[in-house]
Amino acid sequence: MPSFNIGLTGINAASKDLEVTGHNISNSSTAGFKGSRAEFADVFALSYTGVSRLATGSGVNLAAVSQQFNQGDLEFTDNNLDLALNGRGFFVVERDDVREYTRAGQFLVDKDGFIVNSAGQNLMGYPPGVRSGELNEIRVTTGEAEPRATSEIEALMNLSAAAPTIPPDPDNDPSVDIEPSEPDTYNESTSLTVYDSRGGEHTVSLFFQRTGDSEWAVRAFKGDQPIDGIDGDGATAGELVFTPEGTLDLDASTPLEISFDPENGAAEPLNINVDFTETTLYGDRFGVSRLNQDGFAPGQLIDVDVDSDGTVFARFTNGVNRSLGQVAIANFDNPQGLQPVGGTNWVETSSSGQALMGRAGETGFGLIQGGAFENSNINIAEQLVNLITAQRNFQANAQVISTADTITQTIINLR
């Protein structure tokens, strides 16, 4: 009788529903997993003229198992290379020229410095400073960050307006009278470390001498040797001239330039400009608010950070942040058309369309959260309800078969 076949299709459909629900539940803690739902359609026997008005139908079949790409919760971790996509898109991973796409962002660095997932697939991205073109593997630099020689010092300080004027030696230029070993030859001093082209450290001291009501001489020393002047012979000092309001008169002032040979095998002599633009002459106290220089020593890699736009930065002990590249993001016109291939990965198909490549934060692409990964989008409570529903459907369809069997037995037993 037809009821047997109808009940059987119902049992098969309920079994598929149970399989899909069980698969979802088993992956409720799988990073980047996207749940699916079973979609069913009724079955009718057709004739040349279509479906008869008296047709009762032939049961049900599984029409599709549809992936649901809604956002999963973000779980924060202590691993800066755990990446979560908040919004649309997929990470691009590749191994042996086979490209796949994933939302699972649990990455690490392999022995060769490449950022990979647990399956050994390389995370793909754009090289530093490149906005388009072929994708490359992102590799973490493990060597030292190169040093940079100091070329500029930014000095933000206040010289005391109540400081005494130190009479210059009448036989010499006032700007050449400062002696570090003789405190009565200068009013104030401060020091900082500068770096040569090979990262060598050198302590430079600045000495200030008030030579007039609004004039100050400033000299640079390395130890007890003057090092100001373009030719490094100490012949020229800087002169700071202040306005009646206490700000620096840039037109009347003479810049301080520091030049000396490190004499330690460094490739080039140091030539440093000192910027006193924001220095003032206020009150009765000397104070240094900022004394910065733009050089740095070699540095060791200490960490890797990923910005919200996917830029991967290597951080070094010398304070340098170096871009290693930018994580590429792929999107599709129809993500539900992607083919799952296991490992929480997908590949593109004719149904999904070709991958649209871009960067996090651009139109149509989500943002990247470093130090976190996207958890499964499975709602356990919802899946348990689905489980109960599928079980009841299975039981009900089994009852259809049981009832049909009873009717059949009644007919057989007719005399």
Side-chain angles (χ1 to χ4, degrees):
M1 295 179 67
S3 297
F4 285 105
N5 290 334
I6 293 174
L8 184 59
T9 64
I11 285 179
N12 289 335
S15 296
K16 291 297 182 182
D17 199 5
L18 285 168
E19 290 177 10
V20 171
T21 303
H23 182 65
N24 289 341
I25 292 174
S26 66
N27 284 282
S28 59
S29 296
T30 301
F33 178 79
K34 298 301 179 183
S36 301
R37 70 182 183 193
E39 298 176 354
F40 303 97
D42 55 356
V43 178
F44 276 86
L46 299 177
S47 67
Y48 289 111
T49 58
V51 179
S52 168
R53 292 184 178 181
L54 301 179
T56 59
S58 300
V60 64
N61 67 0
L62 179 66
V65 177
S66 177
Q67 302 171 94
Q68 306 300 301
F69 283 95
N70 54 299
Q71 180 75 41
D73 294 334
L74 303 191
E75 184 167 328
F76 291 86
T77 70
D78 294 328
N79 179 13
N80 289 349
L81 287 180
D82 281 341
L83 306 180
L85 264 173
N86 194 357
R88 299 181 63 187
F90 297 81
F91 297 114
V92 183
V93 293
E94 189 172 299
R95 182 178 61 189
D96 298 331
D97 296 326
V98 176
R99 181 168 293 182
E100 297 176 356
Y101 306 92
T102 184
R103 295 280 297 196
Q106 295 172 316
F107 295 103
L108 48 87
V109 178
D110 69 7
K111 63 182 179 61
D112 298 315
F114 293 103
I115 299 178
V116 299
N117 60 15
S118 58
Q121 295 171 303
N122 292 299
L123 177 64
M124 306 299 288
Y126 300 97
V130 176
R131 300 293 298 175
S132 61
E134 292 294 324
L135 302 184
N136 293 328
E137 302 92 345
I138 299 178
R139 191 174 190 178
V140 175
T141 302
T142 56
E144 289 191 341
E146 68 278 4
R148 183 168 72 186
T150 302
S151 61
E152 185 172 358
I153 295 173
E154 181 187 18
L156 171 57
M157 58 186 64
N158 180 69
L159 299 173
S160 172
T165 300
I166 298 179
D169 185 333
D171 297 328
N172 296 290
D173 186 285
S175 65
V176 194
D177 280 343
I178 299 177
E179 294 293 340
S181 60
E182 300 179 17
D184 58 348
T185 62
Y186 58 89
N187 299 87
E188 308 292 350
S189 67
T190 188
S191 300
L192 77 161
T193 299
V194 298
Y195 299 90
D196 60 39
S197 59
R198 291 186 177 172
E201 298 183 0
H202 307 273
T203 300
V204 170
S205 299
L206 302 179
F207 291 84
F208 299 86
Q209 177 192 36
R210 189 170 192 173
T211 59
D213 182 54
S214 300
E215 296 81 27
W216 288 69
V218 54
R219 298 290 307 272
F221 283 78
K222 184 173 181 292
D224 59 356
Q225 297 298 314
I227 54 172
D228 50 4
I230 296 177
D231 57 4
D233 62 2
T236 305
E239 185 179 15
L240 306 180
V241 180
F242 295 90
T243 66
E245 292 79 19
T247 59
L248 190 67
D249 187 337
L250 296 176
D251 294 331
S253 299
T254 303
L256 174 64
E257 297 182 354
I258 300 173
S259 178
F260 67 96
D261 188 345
E263 298 179 353
N264 64 346
E268 299 176 353
L270 279 167
N271 293 287
I272 306 171
N273 296 317
V274 186
D275 182 7
F276 288 102
T277 302
E278 297 186 64
T279 294
T280 56
L281 185 65
Y282 295 147
D284 59 357
R285 292 188 179 182
F286 170 75
V288 178
S289 300
R290 185 165 63 243
L291 194 61
N292 296 335
Q293 56 83 42
D294 60 356
F296 44 79
Q300 297 289 333
L301 179 69
I302 56 174
D303 210 348
V304 176
D305 293 325
V306 182
D307 208 349
S308 60
D309 66 353
T311 302
V312 182
F313 290 101
R315 293 196 296 113
F316 295 87
T317 53
N318 57 5
V320 172
N321 288 338
R322 178 186 296 165
S323 173
L324 304 176
Q326 191 173 13
V327 176
I329 305 298
N331 204 357
F332 297 87
D333 292 331
N334 177 28
Q336 288 188 332
L338 291 169
Q339 175 66 45
V341 292
T344 330
N345 289 358
W346 292 267
V347 294
E348 68 179 54
T349 67
S350 58
S351 297
S352 67
Q354 291 185 336
L356 307 174
M357 303 306 302
R359 293 167 177 77
E362 295 179 344
T363 303
F365 298 90
L367 294 173
I368 289 179
Q369 174 66 60
F373 64 86
E374 182 187 7
N375 225 324
S376 166
N377 66 350
I378 295 300
N379 183 318
I380 287 294
E382 178 183 343
Q383 296 301 314
L384 291 176
V385 171
N386 292 343
L387 201 64
I388 295 172
T389 303
Q391 179 186 12
R392 294 291 176 85
N393 289 340
F394 189 100
Q395 292 172 332
N397 281 282
Q399 190 63 40
V400 170
I401 295 177
S402 176
T403 302
D405 178 60
T406 301
I407 294 173
T408 302
Q409 289 297 324
T410 301
I411 294 174
I412 292 174
N413 292 332
L414 288 174
R415 301 295 182 187

